[in-house]
Amino acid sequence: MRVLVVEDHAKLALTLATGLRRAGMAVDVVFDGNDALEHLAVTAYDVVVLDRGLPGTHGDDVCKALVAEGSPSRVLMLTAAGSVEDRVEGLGIGADDYLLKPCDFSELVA
């Protein structure tokens, strides 16, 4: 499985990538929404682990772009924005799943 981790907190992003690699996944990491869009334009990812509050292009706009182009990539929002309204909004713009930070790593892998 090929995964793109989009997270602006470098330590968290690298920790996630290490864990996902140990679980047998191929992982790329970017730290802002602009780089995410560039990577998504040239690489087919099975899953995008996406923070919402990103510098550059907001995570919501990255998700909307994937949906608009009919991308087969599944979007898992991993974010601190955890109100019911936040979750409903994230799923409403096209995320396939929504996890709150911090999350249990086994739940993320599942």
Side-chain angles (χ1 to χ4, degrees):
M1 180 177 295
R2 187 161 189 102
V3 179
L4 177 63
V5 173
V6 188
E7 169 61 58
D8 60 329
H9 292 94
K11 185 174 180 179
L12 175 57
L14 298 175
T15 299
L16 290 171
T18 299
L20 293 170
R21 288 180 184 126
R22 288 182 180 155
M25 300 176 202
V27 182
D28 293 330
V29 177
V30 295
F31 305 105
D32 66 56
N34 297 334
D35 286 344
L37 292 172
E38 289 178 14
H39 275 70
L40 289 161
V42 297
T43 304
Y45 291 96
D46 298 300
V47 176
V48 180
V49 178
L50 181 64
D51 187 14
R52 289 185 83 178
L54 296 169
T57 303
H58 193 276
D60 289 357
D61 295 324
V62 172
C63 185
K64 289 175 186 175
L66 288 169
V67 170
E69 68 187 32
S71 172
S73 298
R74 309 310 267 170
V75 176
L76 168 66
M77 286 190 172
L78 179 63
T79 180
S83 71
V84 171
E85 293 81 13
D86 290 329
R87 293 189 305 260
V88 168
E89 182 181 32
L91 294 168
I93 62 172
D96 297 288
D97 205 349
Y98 198 104
L99 290 176
L100 301 179
K101 294 180 202 172
C103 71
D104 185 275
F105 193 76
S106 62
E107 184 179 13
L108 174 67
V109 171

